[in-house]
Amino acid sequence: MVNIQNNNAVIGALVAVVAVLSALVVVASVTQMYALTVGLIVAQLVSLGVIGYITSKAREQRHELFCASLTVSK
């Protein structure tokens, strides 16, 4: 599980990866390297899926911490 403190750094790195992959998709499509273009698009989708997974896990962890703090404060 990713710690909440590291969540922003990991997501920032993955967003940078997606941006680089986007630039490479444009270059590969202009040079008509279709297999490479499809591979890069699949890599983008995987990266975006990882971003979604990390975000949902972090949100779930924050929710659990919030519920625990409510329980302790009662």
Side-chain angles (χ1 to χ4, degrees):
M1 183 178 289
V2 177
N3 293 333
I4 293 175
Q5 294 83 10
N6 297 331
N7 187 33
N8 289 338
V10 171
I11 289 180
L14 287 171
V15 167
V17 167
V18 170
V20 169
L21 288 173
S22 295
L24 291 175
V25 164
V26 171
V27 170
S29 64
V30 167
T31 58
Q32 297 181 352
M33 295 184 198
Y34 298 117
L36 180 61
T37 303
V38 171
L40 291 170
I41 291 172
V42 169
Q44 278 183 317
L45 292 174
V46 169
S47 298
L48 291 172
V50 171
I51 289 172
Y53 177 78
I54 290 173
T55 303
S56 68
K57 287 299 178 183
R59 185 175 295 140
E60 181 180 305
Q61 187 179 15
R62 276 190 221 115
H63 178 69
E64 289 174 2
L65 290 173
F66 177 72
C67 291
S69 69
L70 288 178
T71 304
V72 170
S73 67
K74 286 183 178 181

